[in-house]
Amino acid sequence: MLGITRRRRFPALAAGLLLVAAHLGVQAIGAAPAAAATIPPGSIVVVTASSGFSVSAAKTVTAQCPATNPRVLGGGFTTSGRHIEVVERRPMSGLTDSFRAVAVQDEIGTTATWQLMAYAYCSSVAPGWELLTAVSTTTSNAFNAIYPSCPNGKLTTGGGGQINGGGGQVKLLTQGVGGTLNPRGYGVAGLEDSTGFSGNWSVTAYLICVTTGAFGDFAMAENRTASDTTVSKSVSVGCPTGKRVAGSAAWTDSRGTITAIRPNNTTPTIVTATGRDETATPGTGGWSLIVTAFCVS
């Protein structure tokens, strides 16, 4: 009743308001809807698998994605004990995907019990998901690397790598390729330890690519330690607000051994890398440790 009375008393004003409302309605209908997140933060969970403690020359652990979050985006690992080298950490496709880690004793070795853990970053959403593989040349050089990139229209959420040969004396190093908001690839390298390796070896890179929904949905964050003679080091990096960790990478020098690249929890926003100087003379030479987080929303 009040509306009818106002319309009768102020016909010009009512007509003007109707025109404004109609104009706003046309604007709202014609406006493009906000772009949905490519991989919403709530779609990612971390699954953990462990070998348990034992004395062994080598161990393999696979973290399996659940049926509710079947696509692997990346992963990480943790080792315990001294003189253990992780020579493989990589995503694997399947009915439900997984992330596998393989560790071996280095040339010094250990008689103590040790454990290997693997982390899989698993998502319920991953548009255009594909897993690419690239293999380097075979060499006896001290350093060998390969840097594959995603095809146009796709960016990476992470990946992994594998040392082929090396006898536990070649370190597996990984890093992001591309800009902060343009993570196009995943670099994988092998670096012989401080005593070298006389045989031939190569590296395999594994790269996960996902179709981008909107600019800014993907990001890389990196942090590093100082280059000094500290024996044990740890460095963390966090994702921008509103993003979750989808994958990780770590890089070090010939004196360093990467002992972990781990998430902060099961809905990760931070990645931490740890390492040690495990040469025959620890603390007598400088080295650094770099960690990378691949972040998505």
Side-chain angles (χ1 to χ4, degrees):
M1 198 61 170
L2 179 60
I4 294 173
T5 302
R6 289 173 64 109
R7 191 161 54 246
R8 285 177 178 173
R9 290 180 61 188
F10 306 107
L13 177 60
L17 290 173
L18 288 171
L19 286 172
V20 172
H23 178 64
L24 290 176
V26 169
Q27 283 189 326
I29 293 171
T38 302
I39 302 176
S43 68
I44 299 174
V45 298
V46 174
V47 177
T48 304
S50 172
S51 67
F53 285 90
S54 65
V55 178
S56 179
K59 294 186 178 185
T60 299
V61 176
T62 302
Q64 191 76 42
C65 290
T68 53
N69 303 76
R71 279 303 186 199
V72 65
L73 302 178
F77 75 94
T78 297
T79 59
S80 67
R82 302 292 180 90
H83 300 293
I84 306 300
E85 197 72 63
V86 173
V87 295
E88 179 182 332
R89 48 181 189 267
R90 68 177 179 103
M92 302 175 67
S93 62
L95 185 61
T96 58
D97 299 335
S98 59
F99 193 89
R100 184 169 74 184
V102 178
V104 300
Q105 294 190 28
D106 67 14
E107 61 185 323
I108 297 175
T110 180
T111 58
T113 61
W114 58 282
Q115 178 180 235
L116 174 64
M117 299 178 70
Y119 308 103
Y121 298 79
C122 304
S123 179
S124 58
V125 180
W129 184 98
E130 64 177 317
L131 175 59
L132 305 181
T133 303
V135 183
S136 75
T137 58
T138 299
T139 182
S140 60
N141 294 339
F143 178 81
N144 194 10
I146 190 166
Y147 300 92
S149 291
C150 292
N152 290 337
K154 294 187 177 183
L155 296 178
T156 185
T157 62
Q162 178 179 336
I163 301 295
N164 308 308
Q169 298 180 61
V170 179
K171 303 173 186 302
L172 177 60
L173 310 178
T174 52
Q175 65 179 168
V177 176
T180 301
L181 295 177
N182 188 43
R184 294 299 305 273
Y186 196 86
V188 177
L191 176 64
E192 294 183 3
D193 62 22
S194 58
T195 61
F197 177 65
S198 60
N200 294 327
W201 55 276
S202 64
V203 294
T204 301
Y206 300 91
L207 173 66
I208 294 175
C209 301
V210 174
T211 302
T212 57
F215 179 77
D217 283 357
F218 292 68
M220 280 195 305
E222 185 179 279
N223 197 12
R224 65 182 65 202
T225 67
S227 180
D228 56 31
T229 59
T230 304
V231 174
S232 296
K233 297 187 178 186
S234 179
V235 60
S236 299
V237 67
C239 286
T241 302
K243 286 182 167 56
R244 291 284 188 271
V245 177
S248 58
W251 194 279
T252 189
D253 304 293
S254 61
R255 296 191 69 91
T257 293
I258 301 169
T259 58
I261 316 173
R262 64 181 187 275
N264 60 324
N265 54 43
T266 57
T267 55
T269 56
I270 297 171
V271 172
T272 299
T274 58
R276 284 192 302 268
D277 177 350
E278 293 191 344
T279 63
T281 56
T284 59
W287 64 288
S288 63
L289 180 64
I290 304 171
V291 64
T292 303
F294 295 82
C295 308
V296 296
S297 61

